[in-house]
Amino acid sequence: MAEAVALCRPEVICAYPISPQTHIVEQLSVLVKSGALSPCEYVNVESEFAAMSVAIGASATGARAYTATASQGLLYMTEAVYNASGLGLPIVMTVANRAIGAPINIWNDHSDSMSVRDSGWIQLYAETNQEALDLHIQAFRIAEELSLPVMVCMDGFVLTHAVERIDVPSQEQVDLFLPKYEPRQVLDPADPVSIGAMVGPEAFTEVRYLAHAKQIQALDLIPEVSAEFAGLFGRDSGGLVRPYRTDDAETIVVALGSVLGTLKDTVDELRAEGERIGVLGITSFRPFPLDDVRDHLRDAKRVVVLERAFAVGIGGIVSANVRMALSGLPMHGYTVIAGLGGRVITRASLRRMITDATADRLPPLSFLDLNTDLVERELHRTRQTRRSGPIAENLLRDVGAIAARIR
């Protein structure tokens, strides 16, 4: 990822290390210090909030700016994340998806990026490391065409700490695809203006509407950029959605990120047994491609949305968007929460889930591989005594985890 970002010739990189993105920005700092990435200023900051604030300042003065974050770091910079999109600044940021505490968890799910899904940033989710590399190159192009920030979301550890062969393009190829940055707006002492000033009720609705209009423009631009990328680099990557064996599928599973690979393997196994199963991967979660999702799902009898984040108190996040796309279509819909906090999603578990779905045995909302005995013990404990203690530590003791025994 560091090499991919460097090929895009950023002029300012600012980052605060947080697992699992740390080694991306560390490698970029090496490239800057060695002179391999020049001209570029690498800014060591004291927090994630500062990282995004520096990116905003750099972008506002006409520099191509990049940063990266994860989990609690993304939450810490949330105010500035909203500012970046509200100011229409084409910053690119890697989000190495990781769970949000408490309790502390450094493993993968999509809780972090989903928490800022409505901030005005474009959100692109990578299935593989090759796609993550490709999406970074496309992200700078998309951001600068629209003057809108872009997050490239890649699953922490599952992708960020995986080693695999990928095709790294040449500098000449990237230069052909990504032109020199020409900002749509820039702060210039010779022509001073204010940005981010107070806007009252007389125009705030219009400001927000225009932010939405930019996202709608992205629905046309993202496929165009993906097609141009494929023509130049020789591989299909990016776009809005990525269907797999959906043409005649009666049951289609919708998902984002690296779990798509395991889902495709499971679908291949079930197809070999005569089951008509397909997968729809969503690459662009923001803007959400309502028409494309509807087109690929309209003939299915049932749709299962597999989610790696959870809206406590209601259920699925991606599911709500999918339901909007399918409004008025007669079909069975299911939400399955899976892989929270890095729990492994296996083919065996997915196979059981799909089998239950095709038999219409799934409840509207379910949790893949939920340990119901563990949950029931804690619920019983809280009913028995008011001072039942912290839930997370109680569960760890129940499963025999060493961390829970530390005094």
Side-chain angles (χ1 to χ4, degrees):
M1 296 311 106
E3 290 183 39
V5 171
L7 288 168
C8 297
R9 300 186 185 275
E11 296 165 294
V12 176
I13 297 170
C14 38
Y16 188 85
I18 180 171
S19 181
Q21 60 86 332
T22 304
H23 56 304
I24 299 174
V25 294
E26 284 182 345
Q27 180 59 24
L28 282 165
S29 73
V30 171
L31 294 174
V32 173
K33 186 175 182 180
S34 68
L37 176 53
S38 179
C40 181
E41 182 176 358
Y42 191 97
V43 185
N44 288 311
V45 294
E46 73 278 10
S47 71
E48 290 88 357
F49 181 88
M52 182 52 63
S53 298
V54 170
I56 288 170
S59 184
T61 56
R64 181 173 282 165
Y66 168 83
T67 188
T69 193
S71 186
Q72 320 290 110
L74 180 58
L75 296 192
Y76 191 21
M77 66 165 66
T78 296
E79 179 185 347
V81 165
Y82 274 80
N83 285 340
S85 56
L87 293 171
L89 298 174
I91 299 161
V92 171
M93 175 167 65
T94 306
V95 176
N97 289 115
R98 175 186 140 187
I100 294 171
I104 295 171
N105 181 292
I106 65 167
W107 292 274
N108 168 246
D109 64 31
H110 292 162
S111 301
D112 49 5
S113 54
M114 286 292 167
S115 73
V116 293
R117 63 190 178 276
D118 300 324
S119 63
W121 284 60
I122 290 173
Q123 287 193 350
L124 304 176
Y125 286 77
E127 176 185 345
T128 64
N129 275 325
Q130 182 68 68
E131 187 172 35
L133 181 149
D134 296 345
L135 286 176
H136 278 86
I137 298 170
Q138 294 178 48
F140 281 98
R141 176 75 176 274
I142 294 164
E144 290 166 12
E145 286 280 340
L146 294 171
S147 200
L148 202 64
V150 179
M151 286 180 201
V152 178
C153 303
M154 57 186 299
D155 287 346
F157 297 102
V158 182
L159 294 184
T160 62
H161 285 62
V163 178
E164 57 182 313
R165 289 184 181 273
I166 59 173
D167 180 5
V168 180
S170 67
Q171 186 67 69
E172 291 73 21
Q173 285 178 302
V174 176
D175 287 345
L176 281 173
F177 178 78
L178 182 62
K180 181 177 173 59
Y181 176 37
E182 294 185 10
R184 290 181 177 268
Q185 58 176 337
V186 62
L187 291 176
D188 182 357
D191 184 20
V193 296
S194 294
I195 64 172
M198 175 74 73
V199 174
E202 69 282 353
F204 194 79
T205 297
E206 288 71 22
V207 168
R208 299 305 292 168
Y209 174 82
L210 289 169
H212 173 69
K214 274 192 179 183
Q215 290 264 339
I216 300 306
Q217 291 174 27
L219 289 173
D220 293 325
L221 181 63
I222 290 170
E224 290 173 8
V225 169
S226 175
E228 186 176 338
F229 183 92
L232 182 60
F233 294 87
R235 57 180 175 272
D236 188 19
S237 190
L240 299 173
V241 298
R242 303 187 70 77
Y244 183 75
R245 307 188 77 165
T246 57
D247 287 346
D248 65 340
E250 294 182 343
T251 301
I252 298 178
V253 183
V254 180
L256 293 74
S258 61
V259 72
L260 288 166
T262 312
L263 273 168
K264 290 175 182 178
D265 290 342
T266 308
V267 164
D268 288 342
E269 292 175 1
L270 292 167
R271 281 277 180 173
E273 298 168 12
E275 298 288 344
R276 291 163 62 181
I277 314 295
V279 176
L280 183 65
I282 297 177
T283 304
S284 172
F285 185 65
R286 285 292 182 272
F288 191 80
L290 287 167
D291 292 342
D292 293 68
V293 170
R294 187 179 180 89
D295 287 345
H296 287 290
L297 300 181
R298 66 166 62 248
D299 296 324
K301 292 182 178 178
R302 58 192 67 82
V303 172
V304 181
V305 182
L306 188 72
E307 308 217 30
R308 300 200 73 161
F310 178 47
V312 176
I314 185 64
I317 298 171
V318 180
S319 303
N321 295 262
V322 172
R323 287 194 191 98
M324 185 181 296
L326 300 179
S327 178
L329 294 179
M331 66 177 64
H332 295 282
Y334 305 102
T335 298
V336 179
I337 310 299
L340 297 184
R343 178 165 293 183
V344 176
I345 302 174
T346 65
R347 287 205 302 270
S349 295
L350 291 175
R351 187 184 179 94
R352 286 193 298 272
M353 177 197 78
I354 294 172
T355 300
D356 287 343
T358 56
D360 291 318
R361 292 194 299 263
L362 277 181
L365 173 65
S366 60
F367 294 77
L368 193 70
D369 296 332
L370 179 70
N371 187 333
T372 54
D373 290 341
L374 190 62
V375 169
E376 288 300 325
R377 282 202 296 273
E378 179 61 18
L379 290 174
H380 176 74
R381 183 182 294 120
T382 58
R383 286 193 295 265
Q384 292 298 111
T385 174
R386 182 174 181 85
R387 298 188 65 179
S388 54
I391 289 175
E393 285 69 21
N394 288 344
L395 296 183
L396 288 177
R397 278 192 292 272
D398 286 346
V399 299
I402 294 173
R405 301 194 194 117
I406 295 175
R407 294 290 185 265

